[in-house]
Amino acid sequence: MTSRIVVIPTRRAHSNHAEVARSIGVDIIAGRYAEGVRLPGDAELTAMFGVSRPVLRESVKTLVAKGLLTTKARVGTVVRGRAAWNMFDADVLAWHLDAGIDRHFLNDLAEIRLAVEPRAAALAAKRRSEDDIAELQRSMDCMRQETSESVGFAEADLALHLAVARASGNPFMRSIGHVIEAALRTAFMLSAPAGSEDREIALIWHQKIVDTIAAGDADGAAEAMAFVIHNGMRRHKGMAAETAPAAPAEPGDNS
């Protein structure tokens, strides 16, 4: 059975060469230019996009740097295999959303978050500063003030997760911010926690992330972060989240 494709539009590029790179990148990711296929020649592409050769060449350089294309003498510009793509690149992630994402891609995003964010939360609990705690709580306060379906709620949610990554003190975990942003933007577009019960669960467990980090509870912070990610997965129709672990018991809950 083919997974349902969800198209989530992203902001348009601001320059000619960036917009051409985005258009070709989306076509590659969507499979309109398959792996190993040679792109049309410069003359055809410049006519197609209405740009000069220097603009086109700058676009191709951008795509080569991101791992989507390679240029070969006497062969031309060729699409590289998916394994070569820089999936942590902000543009490559955004172009996936433009091209249309399926259940497999959503699960891939969740899996990399589960591999990194709980550990980042645990490290944040050990390394956080007072400024880090204040920033986390500010994001939490903004989430409470905004309606669940609002852009402000989504931005505050993202800010909290990025603040956790920064508080971890690990630059590699901070660099995963683009993945977190893509995942949260996708989650928000597909299913914000609109119902009162969903909203309350989201707020309770995001607050647990803040509180456990502030308390220096590394295990609790990792557990709370993992639950937040699984909870988001469960809200998405068509996602294979049924096997997500049950919510950790509340302190003192022996049932």
Side-chain angles (χ1 to χ4, degrees), residues 10-97:
T10 56
R11 293 189 182 95
R12 293 291 179 177
H14 295 295
S15 64
N16 283 343
H17 88 264
E19 178 57 30
V20 172
R22 187 201 70 82
S23 182
I24 296 174
V26 170
D27 282 345
I28 291 170
I29 290 166
R32 289 184 280 272
Y33 293 123
E35 175 182 343
V37 166
R38 186 177 65 182
L39 288 189
D42 285 3
E44 184 176 343
L45 289 174
T46 54
M48 182 188 304
F49 293 110
V51 297
S52 64
R53 284 179 184 268
V55 168
L56 177 64
R57 287 169 184 164
E58 191 66 27
S59 304
V60 170
K61 285 181 183 178
T62 296
L63 293 165
V64 168
K66 296 177 187 298
L68 273 68
L69 293 176
T70 184
T71 55
K72 299 178 180 179
R74 296 186 298 277
V75 174
T77 304
V78 177
V79 177
R80 299 186 70 185
R82 186 174 293 267
W85 302 354
N86 180 4
M87 294 298 294
F88 289 97
D89 181 87
D91 288 334
V92 173
L93 284 165
W95 297 341
H96 273 83
L97 304 190

Side-chain angles (χ1 to χ4, degrees), residues 137-159:
Q137 191 57 53
R138 278 195 298 272
S139 298
M140 192 68 239
D141 292 342
C142 287
M143 287 180 70
R144 291 188 184 280
Q145 292 165 10
E146 298 284 347
T147 60
S148 300
E149 302 89 345
S150 69
V151 173
F153 185 94
E155 289 178 345
D157 189 354
L158 173 60

Side-chain angles (χ1 to χ4, degrees), residues 79-177:
V79 177
R80 299 186 70 185
R82 186 174 293 267
W85 302 354
N86 180 4
M87 294 298 294
F88 289 97
D89 181 87
D91 288 334
V92 173
L93 284 165
W95 297 341
H96 273 83
L97 304 190
D98 277 343
I101 54 175
D102 58 12
R103 184 177 64 187
H104 183 72
F105 183 77
L106 287 170
N107 282 336
D108 285 346
L109 281 175
E111 285 172 0
I112 191 63
R113 291 184 68 201
L114 286 168
V116 175
E117 286 196 80
R119 181 57 179 161
L123 289 175
K126 297 177 181 179
R127 300 172 178 174
R128 83 285 185 272
S129 66
E130 291 303 314
D131 287 344
D132 290 327
I133 296 171
E135 184 177 359
L136 288 166
Q137 191 57 53
R138 278 195 298 272
S139 298
M140 192 68 239
D141 292 342
C142 287
M143 287 180 70
R144 291 188 184 280
Q145 292 165 10
E146 298 284 347
T147 60
S148 300
E149 302 89 345
S150 69
V151 173
F153 185 94
E155 289 178 345
D157 189 354
L158 173 60
L160 190 150
H161 285 267
L162 296 182
V164 171
R166 287 192 295 272
S168 75
N170 187 311
F172 292 100
M173 290 183 175
R174 292 198 297 270
S175 293
I176 202 175

Side-chain angles (χ1 to χ4, degrees), residues 128-241:
R128 83 285 185 272
S129 66
E130 291 303 314
D131 287 344
D132 290 327
I133 296 171
E135 184 177 359
L136 288 166
Q137 191 57 53
R138 278 195 298 272
S139 298
M140 192 68 239
D141 292 342
C142 287
M143 287 180 70
R144 291 188 184 280
Q145 292 165 10
E146 298 284 347
T147 60
S148 300
E149 302 89 345
S150 69
V151 173
F153 185 94
E155 289 178 345
D157 189 354
L158 173 60
L160 190 150
H161 285 267
L162 296 182
V164 171
R166 287 192 295 272
S168 75
N170 187 311
F172 292 100
M173 290 183 175
R174 292 198 297 270
S175 293
I176 202 175
H178 295 313
V179 173
I180 298 172
E181 181 174 5
L184 291 181
R185 186 154 61 85
T186 302
F188 180 73
M189 293 291 290
L190 291 178
S191 59
S196 59
E197 184 178 353
D198 279 348
R199 174 183 170 84
E200 191 59 25
I201 290 171
L203 291 175
I204 286 171
W205 284 92
H206 278 83
Q207 186 66 59
K208 282 182 181 292
I209 293 172
V210 177
D211 291 344
T212 49
I213 288 175
D217 179 1
D219 290 341
E223 185 179 71
M225 180 64 79
F227 176 79
V228 163
I229 296 170
H230 281 303
N231 188 54
M233 291 172 68
R234 282 194 291 268
R235 288 201 310 270
H236 304 154
K237 285 185 178 180
M239 287 189 63

